[in-house]
Amino acid sequence: MSDRVRNYINGKWADSKSTEWQDVVNPATNEILASVPLNGGRDVDAAAKAAQAAFLEWRDTPPGDRIQYLFKLKQALEDNFEDLARVLTMENGKTLADARGELRRGIENVEVACGIPTMMQGQMLENIARGIDEIMIRQPVGVVAAITPFNFPGMIPLWFLPYAIACGNAMIVKPSERVPLTMERFFQVVDTIGLPPGVLSCVNGGKETVDAILEHPLIKGVSFVGSTPVARYVYATAAANGKRVQCQAGAKNHVVILPDADLEMTSRMVADAAFGCSGQRCLAVSVAVTVGDAHEKFREAMVESARALRVGYGLDEGVQMGPVITKQSQDRIEGAIARGISQGATALLDGRNASISGYEAGSFVNPTVLDGLPWSSDLTTTEIFGPVLSLNNVSELDQAIEIINSNPFGNASSIFTSSGIAARQFRNKVNTGNVGVNIGVAAPMAYFPFSGWKDSFLGVLHGQSWDAIDFYTDKKVVVERWPAEWSRSF
């Protein structure tokens, strides 16, 4: 890692033209790892021009040849897997096991995108009228960009990047300024596979860099993952500038526990779903709704599972949960806990004022369980994005479904039960894009789209799989007539 994070433009490492820099901090130790540029508007222009020049040649490269670079990328990522995972843990704070899991899911997208020669195929119908054929073909959009968040700095760029370039586009990645080192290390891997210069670029920065991407005339499409307020801004600004755009946004995910659920399995899986990655994932469970007499037993098991989690530095052996991303996030999360208690919740576990031996300077919040948070509380519709789980009880499954459906977010929900009838009712009626049955984190595999409804998604086409193919290609319809008399001389 360099002292100053560099951009990767036109197949070369380049120092940023930025005049403002920000420290990249290890959230477990408060150690400064590097500094990252903030105002990278001129860097975006250089990357976009290089990408456009590369696109004109890359789009005509046969799909079977384009995916050869993805095969190389897959192997190069495997060869550098442990190093990438360690860098990710150092700058993000999640455990090494979580970092490895994240990278594995990212690599799965590279593998799926290797199927582009089949996935990108069009359609054809002969004789739509006598002697007339109609063909639909897919062509790449052009230069596209991905603006990615801090919580999954390795996986989320790979929701987009493999599909974009396999379809024949050139892509610019803008990682979160909080965690730029994973993508810097990733592009060091990219630099070894011989990809034509300009097909992939990485530009760092903050809001000014984002605005430059949203406004640049050469950039035709934008993929974004982040909070709902920022997603709305990105979506509106990109659309106003004539770009196609997809924005995965915030979440408030619920899990429903019925009395017939396996208590030991359920509490263990809900603890992982709520506190894994310190609750900093868009699929994190933040509300557990028990039905009927499931509440008391589940509450006791949940507290026991949460209390047993070992919190610390993610590179240390046996640690199960790391810090949150910054001191500012720690303060915000602790403020939300205090607000919940003041509004009537009982703190069965209070994670504030955590002190981890040897890492006292870190940004730690211990697992927190709030029981009986009133439905009138603003926290019921606030994405806390930290290791905080609230427990509530209702008498019927329909009530639990209504609570989920009335929430403005619609990213994910799960049910734990041994009843197939209840599970089917839940999956049919619940208004979330990702649904789990006896699954804590309903994360779609790479060959399914990462869904999301309501305020959790803006756009039409999601990331991954066939949605990615549709997003990164334009459909062209060709109608052909070849009258027989024109060819009589042959």
Side-chain angles (χ1 to χ4, degrees), residues 2-7 14-24 34-40 42-43 177 180 184 204-206:
S2 56
D3 291 337
R4 284 195 161 192
V5 179
R6 298 168 296 169
N7 296 323
D15 293 330
S16 174
K17 297 180 176 65
S18 177
T19 58
E20 294 182 39
W21 296 75
Q22 174 179 293
D23 290 338
V24 181
S35 58
V36 62
L38 290 182
N39 52 349
R42 288 182 295 169
D43 301 327
E177 61 273 24
E184 183 180 52
N204 291 281

Side-chain angles (χ1 to χ4, degrees), residues 188-224:
Q188 289 170 2
V189 174
V190 168
D191 199 40
T192 68
I193 67 173
L195 198 66
V199 171
L200 275 180
S201 301
C202 182
V203 176
N204 291 281
K207 184 178 183 299
E208 181 180 315
T209 307
V210 170
D211 286 341
I213 289 171
L214 301 180
E215 297 168 4
H216 203 286
L218 292 178
I219 297 175
K220 304 302 182 184
V222 176
S223 302
F224 171 85

Side-chain angles (χ1 to χ4, degrees), residues 57-58 61-77 110-111 113-114 161-162 165-166 186 189-197 199-200:
E57 176 65 26
W58 182 246
T61 302
D65 292 343
R66 292 198 294 257
I67 65 170
Q68 300 308 311
Y69 294 98
L70 293 185
F71 289 133
K72 293 179 182 178
L73 178 59
K74 150 59 176 185
Q75 187 56 55
L77 290 173
V110 179
E111 295 168 347
C114 287
L161 182 156
I165 66 171
F186 173 85
V189 174
V190 168
D191 199 40
T192 68
I193 67 173
L195 198 66
V199 171
L200 275 180

